[in-house]
Amino acid sequence: MYIHSFLTIFSIMIGAIFVALFVFANEQRKGAMKALMILALVTTVALFALNITGLIGYTDYRLQAPDSPKSIILGLNPFVHEVYFSTMEYLSIPGPIWATMITWLIWHYKEQIFTNTAIKNSMRVLVGLAVSYAIVIAFSGIVPTRLEAVH
């Protein structure tokens, strides 16, 4: 689960770099487009890896044993599991698809992203929403995980 946690933070940090590039970079900045293309690809791979490590790691969580993390959390506070963890599990599904779409748009439009205001603003909105979405999903996973760890 350490890899899963690392990938979560890594993805949010890359998203913040994305936002910074869209806000501060322009077509005259040397290497801005290449950096954006590489960041998009790395983010997409990281999000697919994040979902895969989540599937592997949460197999133990889902066990019906009395000492499994799910049983402990349900015993302490069922609301935390039902609302936070279940929400996170379902909300995380479109993340890699969303990242793939952003990556495709970046690779497709390339330099037009910085020269065409409509494309640049659309990308800002997509990336901004994606980062906000990722923070909400991360929060939904952190709350029950920390609750179980404190127990």
Side-chain angles (χ1 to χ4, degrees), residues 3 6 10 13 18 21-22 36 51-52 70 86 94-95 99 101 103-104 109 112 120-121 125 127 130 138 147-148 150:
I3 293 172
F6 168 78
F10 181 70
M13 289 172 59
F18 260 111
L21 272 172
F22 279 120
L36 202 55
N51 274 9
I52 291 167
K70 179 181 176 183
S86 294
M101 178 188 67
T103 300
W104 182 85
Y109 287 113
Q112 291 178 18
K120 186 173 185 175
N121 288 337
V125 169
V127 170
L147 180 68
E148 194 274 329
V150 169

Side-chain angles (χ1 to χ4, degrees), residues 138-151:
F139 178 76
S140 330
I142 291 169
V143 170
T145 304
R146 292 302 101 209
L147 180 68
E148 194 274 329
V150 169
H151 178 269

Side-chain angles (χ1 to χ4, degrees), residues 32-33 36 66 102:
M33 191 65 238
L36 202 55
I102 291 172

Side-chain angles (χ1 to χ4, degrees), residues 8 11-12 15 19 47 50-51 86-99 102 125-141:
T8 302
S11 298
I12 292 172
V19 171
L47 285 176
L50 181 65
N51 274 9
S86 294
T87 301
M88 178 200 60
E89 290 170 351
Y90 293 111
L91 287 179
S92 65
I93 293 170
I97 298 165
W98 198 337
I102 291 172
V125 169
L126 280 173
V127 170
L129 287 173
V131 171
S132 302
Y133 191 74
I135 290 170
V136 168
I137 294 170
F139 178 76
S140 330

Side-chain angles (χ1 to χ4, degrees), residues 4 16 26 50 54 59 73 77 80 110 118 122 127 130 138:
H4 185 71
N26 56 37
L50 181 65
T59 302
I73 291 171
N77 190 347
V80 169
K110 294 183 181 171
S122 298
V127 170

Side-chain angles (χ1 to χ4, degrees), residues 12-131:
I12 292 172
M13 289 172 59
I14 289 176
I17 294 168
F18 260 111
V19 171
L21 272 172
F22 279 120
V23 171
F24 300 115
N26 56 37
E27 68 274 9
Q28 284 85 28
R29 290 256 169 122
K30 192 172 188 170
M33 191 65 238
K34 186 172 277 254
L36 202 55
M37 292 170 74
I38 291 169
L39 278 174
L41 194 58
V42 167
T43 303
T44 301
V45 170
L47 285 176
F48 275 101
L50 181 65
N51 274 9
I52 291 167
T53 57
L55 287 171
I56 294 167
Y58 293 118
T59 302
D60 177 53
Y61 172 81
R62 289 281 182 196
L63 293 175
Q64 296 300 322
D67 61 340
S68 74
K70 179 181 176 183
S71 300
I72 293 169
I73 291 171
L74 283 172
L76 293 172
N77 190 347
F79 174 81
V80 169
H81 166 76
E82 295 302 326
V83 174
Y84 287 110
F85 240 51
S86 294
T87 301
M88 178 200 60
E89 290 170 351
Y90 293 111
L91 287 179
S92 65
I93 293 170
I97 298 165
W98 198 337
T100 303
M101 178 188 67
I102 291 172
T103 300
W104 182 85
L105 289 169
I106 289 170
W107 283 70
H108 178 74
Y109 287 113
K110 294 183 181 171
E111 300 299 332
Q112 291 178 18
I113 290 173
F114 295 118
T115 57
N116 186 325
T117 307
I119 295 172
K120 186 173 185 175
N121 288 337
S122 298
M123 293 301 295
R124 282 180 178 168
V125 169
L126 280 173
V127 170
L129 287 173
V131 171

